[in-house]
Amino acid sequence: MEPKVSVVVSTHNSQHDVHRLDESLRGQTLPQSDFEVIYVDDGSTDATLEILNELAASFDNTHVISIDNSGWPCRPRNVGIDAARGEYVAIMDDDDVFFPDALRAAYEFGKSNNSDVVNPKESHSEVPSWSMAVFKKNVPNARNVLAPFSLMALNPRKLYRRQFLNDHQLRFLDNGERVPFEDALFNMAVFAKASVVSILADTPYAVWVQSGQASISSTVVLEPEERFKGQERVLRTITETTEAGSVQRDSALLYVHHSRGAGFFSRHIARKTDDELSHLVELAHTHTIPYLDPHLDDLLASSLHDRSTLLRARKNAELREIAAWDEEVVGRTTLTRMRSTPQGGVRLSLRTVWRRSGERKPGIYRDEAGVLRRAYPEAVRGALGREVAGLDRDIQDATVRLGVRHRSQPVTWTFDTRITSKTLEGPDQDLDLVVESEVELTGLETSAGNVLNGGSWVLNSFTALFQYTQQRPLRVGDSTITRAYTAADGRVMTVARVASGYELTVARLTVTLDRSGGAPMIRFVETDIAPIKGKILMGRKLVFPWGDRLMVFAQRSVAARRLVRLLARARWTAVDRTGGITSVAAPSRLGATVFIQGIPYAIS
């Protein structure tokens, strides 16, 4: 029987990474008999091939193909696709790692939607905001969505229906040379031919691990000519395979324009000499601009629209000036209030303010006609004239979502917030954009519809304004440490570290550690104690080296809870058995371990 999935992995001198990847394959919930693994080694000179042969000897579903070094990932991937027998082909690099439910979830989602390609939720080990714009919710078919582009990011960590690839003869370009943007070329060709492009957002699929080891092409530095010619090949593929004026063409071209068209002329060009910048502009006019219809500019964020206007007019000096001025605008979100809800959850009030580097304002002003615009330097405003973009759409599209990232897993989830106000504060010539929002957490049900269970989650905020998106820690006072805890029954408990200690809100109870009077005091503030009457204990804080790990493990293990209770010497001292609330001294100056309904929390 043909397997459900063929996992194709190109390897090259990956002896340090391949075991990690293979372990993630052995931990899949999809039975081993339902998928095959095809390693294609591109002429490794270290112990990679020996390791792969040992794996193939140990596992019946693992096969190894060795080829002469091609120097680029295209050929080994094509060899693997040709050898594949599965209904779907999953392409991975040797420094990737699968999440345990990846293959099962992606296959079943693709099968149920008759998908030609499934773009599953991927994460980055170092970048929490990686591709968060596209992985908001499951979309059975996103082929006709203008933005965000449904196959971003344009890497091959996706699931492709093998018959679809063969019917359209879709392979990576292998012309015997290095191929810049080979992933983009392949995925743009796939996108043009696909009838169903699905986005799987509710199940983590893979993580791109930044291990410090070089991959096949990671050490290659592209000269400007090669970079722009590679971009032109991608753009030509789009225009030759999609219909003019179609959503599909505009979606693909808009993505390239944002990342490699107007988006290429960012802060780094401010350091270029006049000759270097002139050369880059001419390369863009030769290889990029002819494929980007001017109507696409109106779909860009305002700052990219203005940059494109200057680029098209070859106003190089102003293009450099706007690139130097338009620093990244960062959305910083503060938790302003946290309170319990009648449903036993927590309501968080958030305030987001966008600033440029150095805490400078985002550069918004109101002109004589009352239109909001960016406060560019005078020379830039003069060069743009009436073409300076208004900001109404940017401000309307400004986004704030609550995010969480597990302490032990590099995967980020978001929760929709309710925007309560968007205001511009300050003088008309120097305005701040301020967004007030709320989110209510009873159980950790994400925007994608899945529910997160158990453990400790670091809270952050996902913000988007202009072309800038970030995922940054949620601020509380002077601290950026904010965590959400989920109990075994799905209740949400949040711990916010503030200047005076920790505030813990659980169901209808607020617990605060107050150090203002010298000796730390645990204060229990009653809102409705009935749900947890007689279920609160307090003990010493665990201070040995692995105490924090034990506390996290105790969130989901009854045996670990009992051990923590024993080690902390917990007693019924915080709340009497009738439910009365008291304020008591912490067992030690380091803090306390508070047990609520049997679950321990560190208060320090």
Side-chain angles (χ1 to χ4, degrees):
M1 293 180 61
E2 70 176 23
K4 293 177 178 177
V5 180
S6 294
V7 181
V8 172
V9 183
S10 59
T11 63
H12 178 74
N13 289 352
S14 53
Q15 62 181 10
H16 299 290
D17 294 325
V18 71
H19 273 304
R20 183 182 59 221
L21 168 62
D22 200 75
E23 286 174 6
S24 72
L25 284 165
R26 303 310 155 197
Q28 290 297 299
T29 57
L30 186 69
Q32 298 285 311
S33 58
D34 283 347
F35 70 92
E36 65 176 353
V37 183
I38 302 172
Y39 289 108
V40 183
D41 186 67
D42 193 49
S44 291
T45 56
D46 63 359
T48 299
L49 186 57
E50 180 183 348
I51 294 171
L52 296 178
N53 286 330
E54 290 175 356
L55 292 172
S58 302
F59 302 103
D60 293 337
N61 67 342
T62 300
H63 317 285
V64 178
I65 301 173
S66 177
I67 64 174
D68 292 337
N69 180 249
S70 68
W72 211 252
C74 298
R75 186 174 302 167
R77 289 173 182 163
N78 290 342
V79 169
I81 295 171
D82 291 341
R85 298 180 300 113
E87 185 176 357
Y88 281 86
V89 177
I91 299 175
M92 291 287 275
D93 287 335
D94 49 22
D95 56 353
D96 298 333
V97 173
F98 281 106
F99 285 101
D101 204 28
L103 296 182
R104 181 208 63 79
Y107 172 79
E108 291 183 1
F109 191 68
K111 185 74 172 176
S112 64
N113 293 297
N114 195 29
S115 308
D116 294 315
V117 55
V118 177
N119 189 12
K121 180 179 176 66
E122 69 168 87
S123 300
H124 193 290
S125 62
E126 303 297 331
V127 184
S129 61
W130 181 257
S131 294
M132 289 303 299
V134 71
F135 297 121
K136 181 179 178 182
K137 63 180 180 179
N138 289 353
V139 184
N141 192 358
R143 186 173 184 269
N144 295 320
V145 175
L146 180 63
F149 184 58
S150 56
L151 287 183
M152 64 181 290
L154 287 179
N155 58 58
R157 284 181 282 272
K158 310 183 196 307
L159 221 66
Y160 305 90
R161 188 162 59 84
R162 183 169 63 90
Q163 192 61 50
F164 161 73
L165 295 180
N166 290 338
D167 287 346
H168 297 282
Q169 299 180 341
L170 293 168
R171 294 294 188 272
F172 291 85
L173 178 62
D174 179 19
N175 57 8
E177 302 174 355
R178 66 183 189 181
V179 182
F181 313 120
E182 81 282 352
D183 296 346
L185 273 173
F186 177 73
N187 277 307
M188 288 302 184
V190 165
F191 179 72
K193 297 294 184 182
S195 298
V196 181
V197 177
S198 300
I199 297 173
L200 176 65
D202 67 358
T203 306
Y205 180 79
V207 57
W208 178 15
V209 179
Q210 293 292 278
S211 63
Q213 301 295 324
S215 61
I216 294 176
S217 57
S218 64
T219 57
V220 175
V221 177
L222 299 177
E223 295 298 325
E225 291 82 358
E226 189 174 15
R227 175 178 293 276
F228 277 92
K229 287 179 180 178
Q231 292 174 2
E232 181 180 18
R233 188 179 279 161
V234 174
L235 291 164
R236 191 167 60 246
T237 297
I238 296 170
T239 55
E240 290 176 352
T241 55
T242 56
E243 184 179 347
S246 66
V247 173
Q248 290 76 35
R249 176 175 291 189
D250 282 357
S251 177
L253 291 177
L254 188 63
Y255 175 76
V256 176
H257 200 358
H258 182 279
S259 59
R260 294 168 183 159
F264 174 79
F265 290 86
S266 57
R267 290 184 63 190
H268 74 95
I269 70 165
R271 300 188 297 271
K272 302 294 183 182
T273 66
D274 290 347
D275 288 344
E276 289 172 334
L277 178 56
S278 178
H279 182 50
L280 292 175
V281 169
E282 292 309 312
L283 285 173
H285 274 269
T286 301
H287 300 290
T288 304
I289 297 299
Y291 297 90
L292 301 174
D293 192 274
H295 86 276
L296 294 172
D297 291 1
D298 295 332
L299 302 175
L300 293 169
S302 59
S303 54
L304 286 176
H305 170 280
D306 294 340
R307 237 177 284 172
S308 183
T309 300
L310 296 172
L311 173 62
R312 291 181 188 275
R314 290 185 169 88
K315 295 185 177 180
N316 296 359
E318 292 81 4
L319 183 61
R320 174 191 281 112
E321 193 162 355
I322 195 176
W325 179 89
D326 192 19
E327 299 171 279
E328 184 177 30
V329 178
V330 178
R332 293 181 171 87
T333 303
T334 301
L335 174 61
T336 58
R337 188 180 181 190
M338 179 171 61
R339 56 200 184 279
S340 301
T341 66
Q343 294 75 29
V346 179
R347 182 179 295 121
L348 306 178
S349 297
L350 310 175
R351 175 183 171 88
T352 303
V353 181
W354 278 267
R355 289 294 180 96
R356 290 189 289 156
S357 299
E359 293 293 314
R360 292 190 291 169
K361 287 177 177 283
I364 300 173
Y365 80 101
R366 196 183 303 275
D367 69 11
E368 297 81 0
V371 178
L372 295 170
R373 304 189 189 279
R374 299 298 300 281
Y376 300 132
E378 193 61 39
V380 175
R381 289 197 225 180
L384 288 168
R386 294 179 178 271
E387 299 298 322
V388 178
L391 303 184
D392 287 349
R393 194 182 75 231
D394 293 81
I395 293 174
Q396 179 182 344
D397 294 342
T399 299
V400 177
R401 303 208 306 264
L402 182 72
V404 298
R405 190 168 170 95
H406 198 280
R407 293 180 67 184
S408 62
Q409 287 186 339
V411 65
T412 302
W413 302 97
T414 61
F415 304 84
D416 291 330
T417 62
R418 182 175 67 89
I419 304 287
T420 57
S421 69
K422 285 185 180 179
T423 58
L424 290 160
E425 299 182 358
D428 282 351
Q429 298 303 307
D430 196 13
L431 294 166
D432 272 329
L433 175 61
V434 179
V435 171
E436 304 278 354
S437 59
E438 285 188 341
V439 59
E440 188 168 312
L441 302 175
T442 301
L444 283 184
E445 182 174 349
T446 73
S447 302
N450 57 315
V451 178
L452 309 179
N453 294 316
S456 170
W457 304 84
V458 178
L459 293 181
N460 51 59
S461 66
F462 174 87
T463 61
L465 178 65
F466 306 141
Q467 78 268 27
Y468 301 113
T469 61
Q470 298 97 16
Q471 200 98 15
R472 288 179 174 264
L474 191 62
R475 292 182 166 193
V476 184
D478 297 328
S479 175
T480 57
I481 302 173
T482 313
R483 291 194 178 95
Y485 291 89
T486 49
D489 63 358
R491 289 191 327 281
V492 172
M493 309 169 187
T494 64
V495 177
R497 185 172 185 175
V498 294
S500 61
Y502 279 79
E503 183 178 276
L504 170 65
T505 300
V506 181
R508 302 283 289 173
L509 175 71
T510 299
V511 184
T512 303
L513 179 68
D514 184 0
R515 295 183 182 274
S516 60
M521 294 289 293
I522 303 292
R523 303 192 186 281
F524 295 87
V525 183
E526 181 177 7
T527 52
D528 180 5
I529 194 62
I532 50 178
K533 180 179 178 180
K535 297 181 179 179
I536 303 177
L537 305 89
M538 190 169 67
R540 292 180 172 274
K541 185 180 186 303
L542 305 185
V543 294
F544 42 87
W546 45 275
D548 288 342
R549 293 185 183 179
L550 179 59
M551 290 291 288
V552 172
F553 187 51
Q555 298 291 318
R556 57 183 184 274
S557 169
V558 174
R561 292 177 203 169
R562 291 172 179 167
L563 179 58
V564 170
R565 182 171 173 176
L566 178 65
L567 294 173
R569 289 179 273 175
R571 298 179 180 179
W572 296 97
T573 55
V575 180
D576 65 37
R577 302 309 293 267
T578 63
I581 301 298
T582 59
S583 295
V584 297
S588 74
R589 297 192 63 84
L590 296 174
T593 300
V594 177
F595 294 76
I596 301 176
Q597 293 181 306
I599 300 175
Y601 299 92
I603 307 295
S604 60

